[in-house]
Amino acid sequence: MSTLRFKAVEEAFSHKAVHVDAPEQMTSEYYGKYVFNRKQMAKYLSKETMNTLCDAIDKGVLIDRNVANKVAAGMKMWAVELGATHYTHWFQPLTDGTAEKHDSFIEYKSEPGGDIIEEFSGKILVQQESDASSFPNGGIRNTFEARGYTAWDPSSPAFVIDDTLCIPTVFISYTGEALDYKTPLLKSLSAVDKAATDVCHYFDTKVNKVFSYLGWEQEYFLVDECLYSARPDLALTERTLMGHESAKNQQLEDHYFGAIPLRVQAFMKELEFEAYKYGIPAKTRHNEVAPNQFELAPIFGETNLSVDQNLLIMTLMRRVARRHNFRILLHEKPFSGINGSGKHCNFSLGTDTGVGLFTPGKNSEENLRFVTFLVNTLMAVYKNNSLLKASIMSANNAHRLGANEAPPAIISVFLGSQISSILDTLEVSDSKEAIIVDEKKNMRLGVAHIPEVLIDNTDRNRTSPFAFTGNRFEFRAVGSSANCSSAMIALNAVVAAQLKEFKVSVDEKIAAGETKEKAIFDVLKQYIKESKPIRFDGNGYSDEWKEEAEKRGLDCETSVPLIFDAYTKKESIALFADTNVFSEKELFARNEVKWEIYTKKIQIEARVLGDLAMNYIIPVATRYQSVLLDNVYKIKALYDSKKATALSSMDSALIEEIADHIVGIKTNVDAMIEARKCANKIESEREKAIAYHDTIVPYFDIIRMHIDKLEMVVDNEVWPLPKYRELLFIN
Ligand code: ADP
Ligand code: MG
């Protein structure tokens, strides 16, 4: 009897919804309480210091040590009042999480025999030294220059978690290369600001700055923590490496937007309180398609801040989940046979004059600007489709992409019929009138008391990895556990490079005597023609699309380690150098890290799968087989041979079936271990990752198939691991 599994199931089903007290204040009163935002700054900093800090935030003006000291003093006072005793530089190494090293505020007073005081100087606020060798660095670090530095990013506000003041920082090596996501993200934002502002000047000279906006939609699974702890694969890899599909899963489509289970509702409620305390504008919550799958989306914000908020919310989710006896799974594909989780990244650009550059206008002037930014983005995605794919690819996300549930592993753009037809008209016309976009169409329902409903002028196509949705692009291929920065760095950089190129072409035509408008039209028309292969409004899951995309010359590579090569192609190196986002050295180093992480993830999964197969599954299967053998033996002792054969035929068949699967597991686990031994001898990180992809990953499905078949025949009473039907349905 598998006591562990049954005990876990019993405990899981005894968990009730945890009562969550609503805060006594209104949301707006405690919103952002734990963030050193402008409201708090005004209370703790002098007007002069506050102004200098705001200039640093808004205009990138450097802060000198004197001001840093004053900011640090105010920040410390605020943090201590909230109960902080420690501080940390909070940064984003290349691991998809965040890192922090906590130091206490305490220092000895400088005079001899001095007391302990709380100390936090501008020097500590601005910069810290940290050992770069403990974080992925892709060989950038030599032992004599193992130092790395974290440096304060004033554009993202500090916050207090528990007893610790967290200061968002960048993380760079002694030699100045980025070892994190934030540094290149900030560079890409500044590149797109510059390039887009220049292009905006064709339409409005008053624009001084263009902001890049991000609105993420975080999908996740919840699992009861008792069941989670009885699944070593979940605990060690965040995904189930085995498990037969539940008879019921998402076929009835009864989960999506269904009533949220009470336990989950309590979790969400508390998570939202937490989010608001940290100034994260959580707006939407709902069930997702798969059982136990949910989504949280905030109101969009400036990209740098929005990324930090997403990383913070992932931390908060993990903590809050524990208080509700849940574990949160942010893995892209925790369960096979049902949908995985993504993190749609809604991307748009907007000016400091308040104009959304992807928002259709009200007249042909405004629409020329709209079409300019739309078509340039289209062109950027077309030319860099392999790079954008590389930016979202990982060992985890590979399970999701290309499966019939998530964006395909081919990047294409969905524009919707209305925008498509505008571009088609524009392509063959010289008239501005071609780009008058109908305001949102009105639809009358013809039912009394129900007001007119506005139809969004973009249709929805859920199979597209990159879709235009009315006033923004939605990059849907991003994985749920990823740092959005990776995708946002690539996207902002390619759009910046494209806008620069556009400006050069238009200016050349103007210099040759064309009017500005005609010059813009001409270049756009050429782009519309050229970028056609990236436009696809059909079913991205179909096999025909794979063939068609190949013909169109889009990147169809599916091997994760090879997809990363897109970063070090000649064109990519030039693009990143031109936009000042990555140096060539950084690109190569970061790919080393990507390959290394890929290999390690597959290696861990292979080990866990092998271990569980050999010491959880085979022993149980063998024991059950021997029960059957015993039965056959006894039947044979009691009955004459003919009758005995008839009576024991089912058991005998089962014994053979079990034996076949046991042999199947054993031989494949052995072969997988051998393949690992070979792969581990390879020196090059790239080649090693390719070997793991080509020679180790294929065993996962074979071994799993044998185990899942055994799960269906072995006595339920003795099966050791919680089954899908237990994991996936929260009571
Ligand atoms: P859906 O699931 O239909 O895509 P959601 O409401 O779940 O829509 O999420 C939409 C996301 O897009 C939210 O995070 C929202 O803040 C964001 N968003 C809306 N407008 C913009 C915009 N102009 N730029 C960036 N993000 C936006
Ligand atoms: Mg969406």
Side-chain angles (χ1 to χ4, degrees):
M1 168 83 157
S2 169
T3 44
L4 187 63
R5 173 173 149 234
F6 282 94
K7 208 166 145 260
V9 172
E10 209 175 301
E11 271 185 53
F13 278 79
S14 73
H15 284 145
K16 298 276 175 295
V18 175
H19 179 75
V20 180
D21 275 330
E24 281 167 15
Q25 299 152 304
M26 288 197 326
T27 304
S28 56
E29 286 177 69
Y30 68 93
Y31 188 83
K33 185 177 165 200
Y34 287 86
V35 183
F36 198 57
N37 53 23
R38 288 181 203 230
K39 194 166 142 200
Q40 309 295 345
M41 283 178 202
K43 283 193 224 155
Y44 291 86
L45 303 180
S46 72
K47 216 179 186 133
E48 196 193 347
T49 310
M50 165 113 184
N51 286 344
T52 320
L53 182 55
C54 289
D55 277 351
I57 297 169
D58 300 333
K59 301 183 196 138
V61 177
L62 275 181
I63 290 179
D64 66 26
R65 192 47 57 83
N66 182 26
V67 175
N69 277 330
K70 290 178 180 158
V71 175
M75 204 186 262
K76 187 197 75 185
M77 199 192 295
W78 164 78
V80 168
E81 279 178 26
L82 288 173
T85 52
H86 288 64
Y87 62 87
T88 180
H89 274 195
W90 186 77
F91 60 100
Q92 305 169 21
L94 301 173
T95 51
D96 282 348
T98 54
E100 48 204 78
K101 169 174 152 263
H102 297 196
D103 283 303
S104 165
F105 285 126
I106 58 164
E107 291 287 349
Y108 280 116
K109 270 188 182 163
S110 49
E111 67 264 25
D115 293 339
I116 290 279
I117 51 163
E118 274 97 16
E119 177 70 37
F120 185 60
S121 66
K123 184 164 160 261
I124 304 175
L125 166 67
V126 170
Q127 188 175 314
Q128 292 267 282
E129 198 177 306
S130 142
D131 181 9
S133 60
S134 319
F135 294 98
N137 58 64
I140 272 182
R141 162 211 75 92
N142 293 323
T143 36
F144 61 89
E145 52 189 35
R147 275 174 292 170
Y149 293 102
T150 50
W152 177 36
D153 165 25
S155 65
S156 183
F159 52 91
V160 169
I161 287 199
D162 290 342
D163 60 358
T164 305
L165 167 65
C166 300
I167 300 145
T169 59
V170 296
F171 181 38
I172 51 173
S173 75
Y174 178 68
T175 41
E177 282 85 16
L179 296 174
D180 68 344
Y181 283 112
K182 196 187 254 289
T183 313
L185 179 69
L186 292 173
K187 289 179 173 177
S188 72
L189 297 177
S190 129
V192 86
D193 167 19
K194 170 87 180 58
T197 303
D198 285 351
V199 170
C200 276
H201 288 165
Y202 287 138
F203 311 101
D204 181 359
T205 48
K206 288 202 277 304
V207 172
N208 283 315
K209 190 169 167 69
V210 169
F211 298 96
S212 163
Y213 293 109
L214 165 66
W216 42 263
E217 301 164 47
Q218 178 72 54
E219 292 181 340
Y220 59 94
F221 278 88
L222 285 172
V223 174
D224 186 276
E225 71 177 355
C226 292
L227 298 168
Y228 173 95
S229 59
R231 291 280 318 210
D233 49 354
L234 274 185
L236 297 176
T237 72
E238 258 209 26
R239 80 177 178 102
T240 52
L241 298 169
M242 56 197 68
H244 197 282
E245 263 184 54
S246 167
K248 173 183 190 284
N249 48 46
Q250 65 191 42
Q251 317 84 321
L252 296 177
E253 296 178 343
D254 50 356
H255 189 67
Y256 193 51
F257 284 4
I260 300 173
L262 285 181
R263 275 181 73 192
V264 178
Q265 239 180 63
F267 157 80
M268 287 177 167
K269 205 160 129 186
E270 190 175 343
L271 179 62
E272 279 167 16
F273 296 153
E274 287 289 319
Y276 294 153
K277 280 196 246 166
Y278 288 96
I280 302 171
K283 179 89 176 157
T284 315
R285 54 175 170 194
H286 60 74
N287 287 3
E288 263 303 327
V289 177
N292 272 16
Q293 193 188 27
F294 308 93
E295 179 186 295
L296 176 128
I299 301 172
F300 68 98
E302 280 181 45
T303 300
N304 179 35
L305 183 61
S306 198
V307 166
D308 284 359
Q309 291 184 338
N310 179 246
L311 290 164
L312 184 54
I313 202 99
M314 292 199 280
T315 304
L316 295 174
M317 281 175 147
R318 289 208 162 89
R319 295 158 61 109
V320 175
R322 298 297 300 274
R323 292 205 281 273
H324 292 261
N325 303 113
F326 284 131
R327 288 292 190 141
I328 195 143
L329 305 177
L330 294 171
H331 192 287
E332 280 73 359
K333 190 74 185 175
F335 304 99
S336 94
I338 55 172
N339 281 13
S341 301
K343 178 149 53 198
H344 295 179
C345 284
N346 293 269
F347 160 77
S348 71
L349 297 172
T351 66
D352 59 346
T353 55
V355 172
L357 295 173
F358 296 133
T359 307
K362 292 190 185 60
N363 53 44
S364 51
E365 284 304 316
E366 290 177 3
N367 280 332
L368 184 58
R369 180 194 60 215
F370 161 66
V371 174
T372 297
F373 282 92
L374 181 94
V375 170
N376 271 288
T377 306
L378 202 59
M379 190 69 175
V381 177
Y382 169 56
K383 288 200 292 200
N384 301 286
N385 67 87
S386 55
L387 184 61
L388 289 169
K389 185 162 88 182
S391 78
I392 52 91
M393 197 38 89
S394 66
N396 293 3
N397 211 13
H399 293 287
R400 186 175 155 257
L401 301 176
N404 269 5
E405 45 139 320
I410 302 163
I411 301 290
S412 63
V413 181
F414 171 82
L415 289 178
S417 52
Q418 196 179 10
I419 303 287
S420 291
S421 78
I422 290 167
L423 297 195
D424 294 341
T425 320
L426 192 63
E427 190 188 334
V428 292
S429 145
D430 264 336
S431 156
K432 274 208 287 180
E433 310 320 312
I435 50 170
I436 300 257
V437 182
D438 272 346
E439 274 286 280
K440 296 199 170 187
K441 285 182 187 160
N442 288 339
M443 176 171 79
R444 281 190 183 278
L445 281 184
V447 180
H449 312 304
I450 300 201
E452 288 174 358
V453 179
L454 288 175
I455 334 178
D456 206 328
N457 55 17
T458 54
D459 350 342
R460 289 286 171 133
N461 179 335
R462 291 283 165 192
T463 69
S464 178
F466 201 95
F468 183 69
T469 47
N471 60 356
R472 60 188 190 270
F473 282 96
E474 201 172 320
F475 195 2
R476 299 194 182 125
V478 183
S480 50
S481 72
N483 183 326
C484 314
S485 295
S486 181
M488 289 300 110
I489 293 164
L491 187 53
N492 283 292
V494 300
V495 170
Q498 181 54 49
L499 289 169
K500 270 175 95 169
E501 202 177 306
F502 172 74
K503 177 137 194 333
V504 171
S505 305
V506 171
D507 286 351
E508 268 170 16
K509 286 185 190 289
I510 295 174
E514 272 189 30
T515 66
K516 181 177 80 184
E517 207 164 82
K518 172 103 175 33
I520 293 175
F521 260 111
D522 283 354
V523 179
L524 289 181
K525 276 161 72 171
Q526 180 206 326
Y527 284 0
I528 293 172
K529 277 199 192 73
E530 220 179 299
S531 64
K532 265 201 185 138
I534 198 75
R535 278 161 62 185
F536 180 64
D537 287 4
N539 178 7
Y541 299 164
S542 68
D543 286 333
E544 296 84 66
W545 170 232
K546 283 181 202 145
E547 273 174 42
E548 166 72 16
E550 188 107 45
K551 276 195 218 129
R552 293 189 187 185
L554 299 178
D555 186 327
C556 298
E557 182 57 61
T558 56
S559 159
V560 178
L562 294 178
I563 287 171
F564 294 148
D565 286 341
Y567 273 106
T568 51
K569 282 194 312 195
K570 207 167 78 268
E571 304 83 16
S572 306
I573 294 173
L575 183 147
F576 284 123
D578 184 45
T579 47
N580 190 32
V581 173
F582 287 123
S583 68
E584 186 170 344
K585 186 174 170 193
E586 285 172 323
L587 286 171
F588 278 95
R590 294 170 89 93
N591 260 9
E592 292 284 303
V593 173
K594 285 179 198 291
W595 286 314
E596 196 183 329
I597 290 177
Y598 178 83
T599 300
K600 283 183 180 161
K601 284 216 163 147
I602 302 296
Q603 188 177 48
I604 293 169
E605 290 189 350
R607 285 179 181 159
V608 174
L609 177 61
D611 288 355
L612 288 182
M614 296 309 294
N615 49 45
Y616 268 64
I617 307 301
I618 290 191
V620 165
T622 316
R623 233 179 299 151
Y624 181 56
Q625 191 188 36
S626 94
V627 170
L628 296 173
L629 279 165
D630 191 47
N631 200 29
V632 173
Y633 200 77
K634 285 173 181 158
I635 289 173
K636 292 220 164 121
L638 270 182
Y639 299 97
D640 64 62
S641 136
K642 201 168 156 217
K643 182 128 196 221
T645 309
L647 288 179
S648 64
S649 67
M650 196 194 94
D651 286 350
S652 302
L654 216 47
I655 289 165
E656 280 178 36
E657 194 183 330
I658 293 173
D660 285 347
H661 291 309
I662 290 177
V663 172
I665 292 172
K666 175 82 174 87
T667 37
N668 283 293
V669 168
D670 286 347
M672 181 169 73
I673 293 172
E674 281 313 308
R676 256 181 10 238
K677 283 187 190 158
C678 283
N680 290 343
K681 291 201 190 95
I682 302 172
E683 286 276 320
S684 141
E685 290 294 353
R686 179 176 180 276
E687 298 307 315
K688 199 194 285 184
I690 293 172
Y692 264 85
H693 175 273
D694 293 353
T695 68
I696 288 142
V697 170
Y699 287 110
F700 288 11
D701 279 350
I702 308 173
I703 296 169
R704 178 181 191 140
M705 183 274 291
H706 287 296
I707 296 176
D708 291 357
K709 286 262 162 65
L710 280 176
E711 187 186 317
M712 295 315 274
V713 294
V714 169
D715 183 359
N716 182 53
E717 291 275 308
V718 296
W719 194 255
L721 299 169
K723 297 186 172 184
Y724 269 29
R725 63 167 185 260
E726 291 150 356
L727 290 166
L728 279 171
F729 294 90
I730 285 174
N731 52 320

